[in-house]
Amino acid sequence: MERKAVSEGIPQQDYRVGDVLRVTCPPTTALVAEVSSFYVTIDWPWGEIDPDSKYGWNGQVVFPTDPNSYEWLLGLFHTDPEPQHLVPGDTCLVGIPETLVHVVDVIHHDPLADIGWLPRPHTTLVVLHVNQSEETDEEDEDRGKGFAIELDSAAPIALEIVSRD
């Protein structure tokens, strides 16, 4: 079964563990706020700070500067140019190039999840690249746990079901 849907207003039941999805987000201009040896910080072009959140999100997101890092290679959002070529004050594009992922978890939030920014999501998909395993590496407990896609994201994420178990 193949369907196309954009993240806004997607019914929760449309996605299941095991689904293979094509994910994209058109590139949008963002400002580079800071650069360190390991990370580039950009002003996130989507969403807004949630004034009622218990978290203090500052409206920024970090990207690793190492193009061979786990976070860069298996993350969903990427910058153009790549982070290692950016300096503070630069503008870059940030988006999701066409990527195939499989859903490893579907999390329903009731009440809506407090994640620091608006809109607060009702559903989060935990996904891995199709060539990535759920198993964790003993040297890095965070590997293999997946990346989150909030269905109510302010980012214009497009999801297409490519295959379903």
Side-chain angles (χ1 to χ4, degrees), residues 18-156:
D19 285 350
V20 174
L21 307 176
R22 180 175 292 112
V23 181
T24 59
C25 180
T28 298
T29 302
L31 179 67
V32 177
E34 294 180 46
V35 177
S36 72
S37 298
F38 300 104
Y39 292 97
V40 167
T41 303
I42 66 165
D43 292 332
W44 198 239
W46 302 289
E48 62 184 82
I49 295 171
D50 182 346
D52 298 322
S53 175
K54 64 182 175 184
Y55 304 106
W57 184 57
N58 63 1
Q60 298 177 327
V61 172
V62 297
F63 289 87
T65 55
D66 180 359
N68 295 313
S69 72
Y70 172 81
E71 292 168 288
W72 179 257
L73 294 172
L74 296 177
L76 294 175
F77 284 94
H78 287 94
T79 63
D80 183 16
E82 293 180 346
Q84 70 271 22
H85 302 295
L86 297 171
V87 297
D90 279 354
T91 56
C92 64
L93 296 174
V94 62
I96 302 174
E98 185 174 301
T99 304
L100 291 178
V101 298
H102 60 99
V103 177
V104 296
D105 199 2
V106 179
I107 303 166
H108 301 287
H109 308 288
D110 185 16
L112 301 178
D114 179 359
I115 57 175
W117 60 84
L118 297 173
R120 289 184 176 198
H122 61 73
T123 303
T124 300
L125 301 180
V126 180
V127 300
L128 294 170
H129 288 258
V130 292
N131 60 350
Q132 185 182 5
S133 167
E134 281 187 75
E135 297 177 18
T136 57
D137 184 332
E138 288 180 21
E139 295 178 14
D140 186 347
E141 287 295 317
D142 292 331
R143 289 189 183 189
K145 293 184 180 176
F147 296 92
I149 297 174
E150 285 90 19
L151 294 188
D152 280 343
S153 174

